Amino acid sequence: MSRRIAVVGAGMAAARFAERFHALGGEAEVTLYGAEPRAPYNRVLLADVLTGRYDAEAITLPSGDAALRVGAEVGSLDTAARTLRLVGGEQQSYDQLVLATGANPVLPPIRGLRREPGGLKAGVHALRTVSDCRQLAEHAARARRAVVVGGGVLGVSAARALAALGLPVEIVHQGPQLIERQLDEQAGRALQGGLARLGVVTYCGNRARAVRGAERVTGVELAGGYLLETDLVVLACGVRPRTGLAHSAGLLVRTGVLVDDRLAASAADTYAIGDCAEHRGVVHGLAGPAWEQADVLAARLSGADPDAVFTGSRPLARLSAGPLEYAAFGEVADEGPGLDVLRLTDATRGSYKKLVLRGDRLVGGILLGDLATVGAFTRAYERDDPLPREPLHLLTTLGAF
Ligand SMILES: Cc1cc2nc3c(=O)[nH]c(=O)nc-3n(C[C@H](O)[C@H](O)[C@H](O)COP(=O)(O)OP(=O)(O)OC[C@H]3O[C@@H](n4cnc5c(N)ncnc54)[C@H](O)[C@@H]3O)c2cc1C
């Protein structure tokens, strides 16, 4: 019998692993077990499904020759016996196991978020799956206004999508500025200005304290007592690795499932990749690193490169949101030994560029509103290439350098 690889989760990391494994000539029966009732898809594009730009089918991802079990949630694992059991009771054996269970949205400690007893109050939504997206779109079509709690990447994408659907939107964000993990203060302000032009009002440094309404949401109360009236709330307060299954199977879990540079977890022939994995103390929570990990594991398990290792990912984030598009990579802080910072702000066009250099190397940058040079910059950053021109030219050059 040929080798059997079971992949738990049929999301972005799982699909990429299966696709690469077969493309690299791997010989094994790969089975993806996915809790969602559909084939793997590109979650990053969900905001565009919400606006209607893409149909849900159009964002489906390839998964090589893998067998796909959809609507098949794995309820328990026995890593010693190498068996898994589906929630319905069916048991399957495997030789190697890949955990790619992703992450769940964090539900913030806000009073009145839930119905008693039960799930979220009517009108309150998270956005992680196509099913969440469908419910949100249905509700948005009837809503008069929306509040997004959280001003990170997901919150900004959701707010932009809801504004595109014609709703007045307010973002409540606890941090000092939008997307403070990736943008500096000036970029955050420029983004806020861009959102304002789309009809999105942002309240930074504010915390949502309570959701008002008996059966349905009627408003969001801020910590200062101010009330935002609304009939639709989207929660975008980050994600938490989905580790329950790994934890009950006795695998080592801290924030995520602990893996080494081979992406191996703490039991033999057991691996973890994507949002559920914690590598060198980092849970990435981004598609790029999830795919890099999938590529490394596919190279190892297919035999194409049995010594491939994942040593970390160079931070690179990109938001494609029409006029609000930006890319941020590497070190974006202003100060540090040996760092030179170049900036160009174009208030008329609403663009902002910042490059952080160490000597002739690009170690970080932010491009907002004008991404003409993004390909050249991110290539130079990822390959650690020396920059070929006078640094000041880089800010104004159009196209590749
Ligand atoms: C709206 C949105 C926008 C985003 N935008 C960006 C972006 O711009 N850039 C970026 O880099 N990242 C973005 N992300 C994050 C990105 O989508 C994730 O990093 C990526 O999906 C991680 O892939 P994964 O396979 O680890 O997890 P997922 O894609 O979440 O897949 C995990 C799958 O496993 C399934 N599963 C879990 N437990 C079980 C079980 N026990 N049995 C069977 N199946 C199970 C889940 O149902 C899920 O389908 C965004 C996410 C969202 C929701």
Side-chain angles (χ1 to χ4, degrees):
M1 197 204 293
S2 70
R3 179 167 54 123
R4 294 153 304 172
I5 301 179
V7 185
V8 186
M12 293 185 70
R16 175 74 167 225
F17 167 80
E19 195 265 322
R20 292 308 303 151
F21 180 87
H22 291 116
L24 291 169
E27 284 179 15
E29 282 173 29
V30 179
T31 306
L32 307 190
Y33 296 90
E36 291 184 63
R38 54 186 308 114
Y41 56 89
N42 190 341
R43 222 170 277 287
V44 171
L45 298 176
L46 279 181
D48 292 306
V49 174
L50 185 59
T51 60
R53 181 169 175 213
Y54 295 124
D55 182 81
E57 299 310 316
I59 63 169
T60 301
L61 290 171
S63 50
D65 296 331
L68 204 52
R69 299 280 310 264
V70 296
E73 181 174 353
V74 176
S76 61
L77 301 170
D78 183 336
T79 55
R82 292 174 210 241
T83 55
L84 58 81
R85 191 177 287 281
L86 300 185
V87 165
E90 179 186 330
Q91 183 171 300
Q92 293 288 346
S93 304
Y94 60 80
D95 300 300
Q96 290 170 311
L97 178 77
V98 180
L99 292 170
T101 49
N104 285 326
V106 168
L107 299 185
I110 299 178
R111 257 187 292 128
L113 209 56
R114 295 171 182 278
R115 273 190 304 248
E116 291 297 338
L120 293 174
K121 185 173 281 173
V124 180
H125 298 262
L127 179 55
R128 180 77 192 176
T129 64
V130 163
S131 159
D132 293 340
C133 195
R134 291 225 161 100
Q135 287 172 33
L136 181 55
E138 257 173 47
H139 191 171
R142 292 180 271 119
R144 284 176 296 114
R145 44 196 312 120
V147 169
V148 175
V149 182
V153 182
L154 177 57
V156 168
S157 314
R160 195 261 313 176
L162 292 167
L165 291 173
L167 288 175
V169 182
E170 290 163 303
I171 299 179
V172 183
H173 184 48
Q174 219 171 342
Q177 63 176 70
L178 291 170
I179 318 190
E180 72 273 9
R181 278 174 61 188
Q182 289 157 8
L183 300 183
D184 65 1
E185 195 188 330
Q186 271 173 280
R189 245 187 286 130
L191 184 61
Q192 190 169 330
L195 281 167
R197 288 192 282 279
L198 301 178
V200 178
V201 178
T202 305
Y203 304 98
C204 286
N206 265 291
R207 197 172 57 78
R209 178 169 73 184
V211 168
R212 294 257 189 103
E215 283 302 308
R216 303 192 63 80
V217 57
T218 56
V220 172
E221 195 182 299
L222 304 189
Y226 195 71
L227 180 69
L228 305 177
E229 288 185 11
T230 188
D231 47 1
L232 174 61
V233 173
V234 177
L235 302 173
C237 304
V239 294
R240 188 167 294 130
R242 208 159 149 171
T243 57
L245 184 67
H247 189 263
S248 356
L251 295 170
L252 289 179
V253 172
R254 205 177 295 142
T255 305
V257 181
L258 294 184
V259 293
D260 60 19
D261 287 1
R262 298 167 303 154
L263 300 161
S266 58
D269 287 316
T270 307
Y271 303 87
I273 54 175
D275 282 8
C276 72
E278 178 173 339
H279 171 261
R280 296 192 184 181
V282 180
V283 175
H284 289 280
L286 288 169
W291 278 347
E292 288 171 32
Q293 293 177 348
D295 290 354
V296 166
L297 191 61
R300 289 188 71 88
L301 299 193
S302 66
D305 182 0
D307 299 323
V309 285
F310 178 79
T311 53
S313 194
R314 308 206 85 191
L316 169 65
R318 191 166 171 169
L319 178 74
S320 300
L324 302 178
E325 62 179 358
Y326 79 78
F329 47 93
E331 300 175 37
V332 294
D334 281 356
E335 288 170 27
L339 293 183
D340 286 322
V341 178
L342 307 174
R343 273 203 185 82
L344 185 71
T345 308
D346 183 340
T348 321
R349 292 184 184 79
S351 74
Y352 172 74
K353 295 181 191 176
K354 172 180 179 175
L355 298 180
V356 184
L357 310 173
R358 182 175 289 120
D360 63 352
R361 307 291 156 140
L362 186 59
V363 294
I366 300 172
L367 301 176
L368 181 86
D370 172 8
L371 266 60
T373 47
V374 69
F377 283 143
T378 51
R379 266 195 308 279
Y381 163 71
E382 285 182 322
R383 296 191 199 143
D384 204 20
D385 287 343
L387 294 171
R389 294 222 182 158
E390 275 294 303
L392 275 173
H393 288 210
L394 298 173
L395 288 174
T396 50
T397 309
L398 287 177
F401 49 84

